[in-house]
Amino acid sequence: MIPDLSVLWVIAFVLLLSVLLDRLLLRPLTRVMREREGAIRSARELAESSRAKAQNASDEFDAKTRAARGDVYRQMEEKRRAALERRATIVAETRREIELSMRGANERVRAQVDAARSQIDRDADNLAATIVERVLAGKLPKTS
């Protein structure tokens, strides 16, 4: 049994067609698919890299913000402490001034009290002497 020549031609055409389909359609198609897969992988890697960079930038921003807030709070605390110290100094100086003023006022009042007492004592002595003179002058017999 010898196969018919037409079968050989069909087999040859099928082989030729499969080679042509492989070279002209399947290989370019698989190459395009691989290129797309590579592009997709590259885009994913780029997206992941961008996400990581954005996360790092966000973390860095948060850290700097926390540090800046801490710095602001520390400065506010220092200013508050300085203001309290200044206030305490002013209050202490005012108290010293008031104490000095009160001492001076007390000394002046004591001096005025002492002066008034001695004046009252002198006036009382003069008044007593005057009363004694008038009383005695009225009780003594008049000689004339």
Side-chain angles (χ1 to χ4, degrees):
M1 253 207 257
I2 299 181
D4 192 12
L5 223 49
S6 64
V7 172
L8 290 177
W9 279 107
V10 169
I11 292 174
F13 280 129
V14 167
L15 288 176
L16 180 66
L17 184 62
S18 66
V19 168
L20 285 176
L21 280 176
D22 181 51
R23 299 263 168 116
L24 295 177
L25 181 67
L26 295 178
R27 284 186 186 177
L29 187 62
T30 55
R31 182 182 47 83
V32 168
M33 288 173 54
R34 271 188 254 119
E35 287 174 357
R36 283 189 180 176
E37 285 176 1
I40 290 171
R41 193 175 312 114
S42 172
R44 283 186 181 173
E45 289 171 357
L46 181 62
E48 181 61 29
S49 171
S50 296
R51 187 203 60 78
K53 286 179 183 178
Q55 183 65 40
N56 289 339
S58 175
D59 292 344
E60 183 180 342
F61 175 77
D62 290 342
K64 286 182 179 181
T65 302
R66 279 192 302 276
R69 280 187 184 141
D71 190 37
V72 166
Y73 290 144
R74 188 179 68 256
Q75 288 176 1
M76 286 173 42
E77 181 62 24
E78 288 173 2
K79 288 185 186 230
R80 186 188 66 79
R81 193 176 312 118
L84 287 175
E85 289 173 2
R86 184 170 162 236
R87 178 180 173 254
T89 302
I90 291 171
V91 167
E93 289 175 5
T94 304
R95 283 186 180 155
R96 279 192 296 272
E97 290 174 6
I98 289 171
E99 287 174 4
L100 288 174
S101 179
M102 290 295 291
R103 283 184 200 145
N106 285 339
E107 289 173 6
R108 284 192 303 273
V109 168
R110 282 189 197 116
Q112 290 173 356
V113 166
D114 291 341
R117 280 190 182 148
S118 51
Q119 181 66 37
I120 289 173
D121 287 343
R122 280 193 307 273
D123 289 346
D125 288 343
N126 289 338
L127 188 57
T130 304
I131 291 173
V132 169
E133 283 178 17
R134 287 192 183 171
V135 168
L136 290 178
K139 287 191 175 183
L140 291 176
K142 291 186 183 180
T143 56
S144 333

